[in-house]
Amino acid sequence: MSEAIDVRKGLVGVYADESSVSKVMPETNSLTYRGYAVQDLCEEASFDEVAYLLWNGELPNPQQLREFQAAEKAERALSPALLRVLRDFPRDAHPMDAIRTAVSFMGMEDPECADISDAAQRRKAVRLLARIPTAVAATNRLSKGLDPIAPDASLPFCENFFHMVFGKVPAKEVIKAFDVSMILYAEHTFNASTFAARVVTSTMADIHGAITAGIAALKGPLHGGANEAVMHMLKEIPSPEAAEAWLRERFDHKALVMGFGHRVYKNGDSRVPTMKKYAEIMAEVVGDKRWMNTSAVLAKVMLEEKRIHPNLDFPAGPAYYLMGFDIPMFTPIFVCSRITGWAAHVLEQAADNRLIRPLSLYNGLEQRPVVPLAQRG
Ligand code: SDX
């Protein structure tokens, strides 16, 4: 009698490989990037320092950071060809489809596209880090009949993004909250979109293909798309006072409550306290506490009734709304950050590669003869 085969649907609890990029510790509800606690990075480092850390394994010194920032600034502009393509996108296309397509086009026009050497992949990663925000901002403005705003190489990464979206740079409190969200969203071990990028890389395909796959996976509401779904959910609730009744009605329909639950964290997502702090700062800066007050009620009832904790998308949604971003931009902003984690995993997979090809346990019909067409009833 052959022993029972252990099929793990969704790869729940399966260690598919080793990785040194980040570590999630559910038992202590903590997360480290290359050994640094993410909360410490949010307070002591900027997003571009974290991008350098994820790709190089160490935080940059001042000279290394200046060189990295200069390389990123030099690559922010989109080609005239890509700008023409963006202008032809359907006005109502979802921005995640737009950025997925834009990244694919960036690959087609990249002279090093087919070169999967570590050095070339690193150069392409910088180009993607620099250009994805430009494409996200441009498609958002084009969808509203506005002209794109060219990137400003004199501005730091986060300030430049606001400049390209809104035409101005907000107060430093807003920039700090955005920078923190970018650090928190950057990396999270073998989440679905990162694993998709690793699968593509394992076939020796190029980084643009891997990132395109990551974007496609991140769009889903069970994954990155949840931050948009959270804001749509919060806007459905008439007031904080109506939140509990609204939630209990969803319990009756066994509906998912977006922004809650996590495959790995079962006692809370380590990133939530930090993101919640900065979402509350945004509520103070804007003078609108409705969304965080409603969120507090939902989190309390979900914990009491379901023992389910919020994940990062739950505070990130209202934070981005309070920063003034259109809701369909929330997951593309997640892409602007997660390109750093995805690229780190692409480099790691390629450096010690084995084609990713799991097995499937067959549960279909036993073998049978083909009946000729004329005899099929
Ligand atoms: C991200 O993996 C990562 O690291 C992802 C991420 C990253 O940084 O890359 O952290 C980013 O994707 C965060 C997750 C964002 N998604 C959502 O907020 C969507 C809502 N969440 C659920 O869909 C769910 O919690 C998942 C998909 C996140 C996790 O699903 P699992 O691990 O398969 O958990 P499960 O479905 O087995 O849940 C166990 C139980 C189930 O009830 P029963 O069938 O046992 O009765 O908890 C229930 C679930 O129905 N449950 C929920 C719920 N999440 C779990 N019930 C209501 N609302 C929810 N949100």
Side-chain angles (χ1 to χ4, degrees), residues 12 24 184-194 218 220-227 229-230 251 254-266 269 271 302 306 308-309 311-314 334 338:
V12 177
V24 173
L184 293 172
Y185 263 140
E187 159 62 15
H188 211 240
T189 71
F190 279 13
N191 58 85
S193 55
T194 296
L218 190 73
L222 293 189
H223 191 13
N227 61 11
V230 163
F251 288 165
K254 293 213 177 301
L256 281 181
V257 182
M258 305 316 275
F260 284 88
H262 199 278
R263 172 61 58 79
V264 180
Y265 294 116
K266 294 304 180 190
D269 182 326
R271 303 162 292 183
M302 280 296 282
K306 298 273 186 181
I308 297 178
H309 299 260
N311 58 54
L312 175 56
D313 292 314
F314 190 60
F334 194 159
R338 188 53 60 93

Side-chain angles (χ1 to χ4, degrees), residues 307-329:
R307 309 304 308 153
I308 297 178
H309 299 260
N311 58 54
L312 175 56
D313 292 314
F314 190 60
Y320 288 147
Y321 191 77
L322 290 162
M323 290 177 199
F325 294 112
D326 297 333
I327 295 175
M329 283 190 83

Side-chain angles (χ1 to χ4, degrees), residues 15-24 31-35 50-57 116-118 121-122 125 128 184-211 213-214 223 271 334 337-354 356:
Y15 287 89
D17 201 342
E18 295 181 3
S19 173
S20 63
V21 180
S22 67
K23 183 177 181 182
V24 173
L31 165 65
T32 58
Y33 295 166
R34 302 287 190 189
V50 169
Y52 184 99
L53 168 68
L54 290 172
W55 294 353
N56 298 286
I116 60 168
S117 66
D118 185 76
Q121 298 273 74
R122 286 175 181 272
L128 284 162
L184 293 172
Y185 263 140
E187 159 62 15
H188 211 240
T189 71
F190 279 13
N191 58 85
S193 55
T194 296
F195 196 66
R198 289 189 76 123
V199 168
V200 170
T201 302
S202 80
T203 72
M204 294 181 65
D206 60 81
I207 191 170
H208 284 87
I211 302 307
H223 191 13
R271 303 162 292 183
F334 194 159
S337 166
R338 188 53 60 93
I339 165 63
T340 58
W342 289 331
H345 282 273
V346 165
L347 295 170
E348 183 178 68
Q349 179 73 37
D352 178 16
N353 188 38
R354 184 81 191 270
I356 296 173

Side-chain angles (χ1 to χ4, degrees), residues 143-275:
S143 73
K144 298 189 283 190
L146 301 171
D147 279 331
I149 296 175
D152 180 343
S154 72
L155 292 173
F157 185 91
C158 292
E159 287 84 340
N160 176 56
F161 186 65
F162 280 84
H163 161 71
M164 295 189 296
V165 175
F166 301 111
K168 59 181 187 294
V169 174
K172 61 182 185 329
E173 294 84 357
V174 178
I175 292 296
K176 176 64 179 174
F178 185 76
D179 189 74
V180 163
S181 78
M182 296 292 277
I183 292 171
L184 293 172
Y185 263 140
E187 159 62 15
H188 211 240
T189 71
F190 279 13
N191 58 85
S193 55
T194 296
F195 196 66
R198 289 189 76 123
V199 168
V200 170
T201 302
S202 80
T203 72
M204 294 181 65
D206 60 81
I207 191 170
H208 284 87
I211 302 307
T212 302
I215 297 170
L218 190 73
K219 179 185 177 185
L222 293 189
H223 191 13
N227 61 11
E228 295 180 17
V230 163
M231 200 61 223
H232 288 305
M233 175 180 75
L234 291 175
K235 293 189 73 168
E236 244 184 70
I237 300 171
S239 68
E241 295 69 31
E244 180 161 353
W246 180 91
L247 186 55
R248 292 190 185 285
E249 200 270 335
R250 278 182 90 79
F251 288 165
D252 296 343
H253 294 87
K254 293 213 177 301
L256 281 181
V257 182
M258 305 316 275
F260 284 88
H262 199 278
R263 172 61 58 79
V264 180
Y265 294 116
K266 294 304 180 190
N267 296 306
D269 182 326
S270 65
R271 303 162 292 183
V272 165
T274 305
M275 191 67 245

